[in-house]
Amino acid sequence: MLELFYSPFGEFEFMQRAVVGVIAIALGGGPIGVFLMLRRMSLTGDAMAHAILPGAAIGYLFAGLSLPALTVGGLFAGVIVAVAAGLVSRFTSLKEDASLAAFYLLSLALGVTIVSLRGSNVDLLHVLFGTVLALDDNALLLLASISTVTFLALAVLYRPLVLECVDPTFLRSVSRAGTPTHLIFLGLVVLNLVGGFHALGTLLAVGMMMLPAAAARFWSSDITMMMILSVLIGIVSGISGLLLSFHAELPAGPAIILSAGIVYVGSLILGREGGLLWLAWPGKHLEA
């Protein structure tokens, strides 16, 4: 029985690389997903995941499936869309969520069109759904670097990020760190989405950020514990998804996100912090 869990990673190098990749994505994406959820920016993460597609597609148009070209293009496009959506919401009557939705729809259509101009359907699937089973040394180094940068940045920005989640008005009244913290946080979101893009594609990268974070919320109300749980859930979901894809011959990226979704549904039902069973279970009444 244990061979079903061990043998794929012991015998095949591409599975070993995939495990390292999903662990790196979970380490960086889990904590970012927690702050996106607490700041009510979950859909912002989804919009920005689609926003990196045109930049990656332009990089693909000039250099093919080149890691540096796709990375730089995706980062450039993500930053442009984030800044543009913020400017539109600031200087017009359109809210930020609506402007992000408009930009992400345009980005998705433009990116798919650009890839289709030169590439095949296989290339389009590569861009949209990633190739977690084909990660090379450079891709793993990129993912590890993004996780390291994310951890260091969150360690520095932890207090203002938590304050902004709890009481942004108080943070603005006592410090000018609110705006720089927000901008750096958006940069970390784009950075982790670009890293996840190489393994899971633009359509699924945000899943490894939001599903573990949402599942962790049903088990703890402490922010630090939620971050730890989100990382653990992301790692477990990644490994179980890879095993599912190997034994059931399913696409690896969707299998990983499905595994994270199963953990989320289980947490929704069983979680101690607002899970359905705990809400339905009659509590003890106060006794005099």
Side-chain angles (χ1 to χ4, degrees):
M1 187 67 173
L2 291 177
E3 290 185 359
L4 294 176
F5 296 94
Y6 174 77
S7 59
F9 304 116
E11 296 178 11
F12 301 101
E13 185 178 354
F14 69 89
M15 291 291 286
Q16 297 170 5
R17 292 176 179 275
V19 167
V20 175
V22 297
I23 290 175
I25 292 171
L27 287 172
I32 293 294
V34 168
F35 281 111
L36 280 172
M37 177 185 64
L38 294 177
R39 291 156 66 99
R40 299 182 180 180
M41 294 174 61
S42 301
L43 292 179
T44 300
D46 185 50
M48 292 176 70
H50 292 80
I52 68 176
L53 182 56
I58 292 174
Y60 168 80
L61 198 63
F62 286 98
L65 296 175
S66 165
L67 182 69
L70 294 176
T71 302
V72 172
L75 279 172
F76 191 68
V79 170
I80 287 179
V81 170
V83 171
L87 291 175
V88 168
S89 64
R90 183 178 180 86
F91 294 107
T92 71
S93 59
L94 198 64
K95 299 297 183 182
E96 188 173 15
D97 59 340
S99 61
L100 273 171
F103 277 111
Y104 109 73
L105 289 170
L106 288 171
S107 300
L108 181 61
L110 180 61
V112 171
T113 302
I114 292 173
V115 175
S116 301
L117 289 176
R118 173 177 170 178
S120 63
N121 289 336
V122 174
D123 296 326
L124 182 59
L125 289 174
H126 173 96
V127 172
L128 294 179
F129 298 105
T131 53
V132 68
L133 296 180
L135 296 175
D136 56 16
D137 289 342
N138 291 329
L140 293 178
L141 182 61
L142 173 67
L143 294 176
S145 300
I146 290 173
S147 297
T148 303
V149 170
T150 301
F151 256 77
L152 293 176
L154 289 179
V156 175
L157 299 175
Y158 183 79
R159 288 174 66 92
L161 276 174
V162 172
L163 275 176
E164 196 173 27
C165 292
V166 177
D167 192 348
T169 304
F170 174 75
L171 178 62
R172 287 194 296 268
S173 68
V174 300
S175 173
R176 295 182 179 179
T179 299
T181 298
H182 181 71
L183 293 176
I184 294 173
F185 176 73
L186 288 179
L188 291 175
V189 173
V190 173
L191 197 62
N192 279 272
L193 288 172
V194 169
F197 156 77
H198 290 292
L200 301 171
T202 57
L203 296 184
L204 299 176
V206 72
M208 278 292 279
M209 293 172 65
M210 298 315 308
L211 285 172
R217 179 63 184 87
F218 287 110
W219 295 104
S220 177
S221 58
D222 179 77
I223 295 179
T224 302
M225 184 55 65
M226 275 192 279
M227 293 170 65
I228 295 172
L229 288 174
S230 68
V231 171
L232 293 176
I233 291 171
I235 292 173
V236 171
S237 300
I239 294 174
S240 59
L242 289 173
L243 288 170
L244 177 63
S245 71
F246 182 85
H247 292 297
E249 298 183 359
L250 298 174
I256 291 172
I257 302 305
L258 281 174
S259 297
I262 291 172
V263 176
Y264 167 75
V265 172
S267 301
L268 171 65
I269 297 172
L270 302 173
R272 294 178 59 89
E273 295 290 335
L276 296 179
L277 285 183
W278 286 87
L279 291 176
W281 194 269
K284 294 183 179 180
H285 294 287
L286 294 175
E287 297 180 1

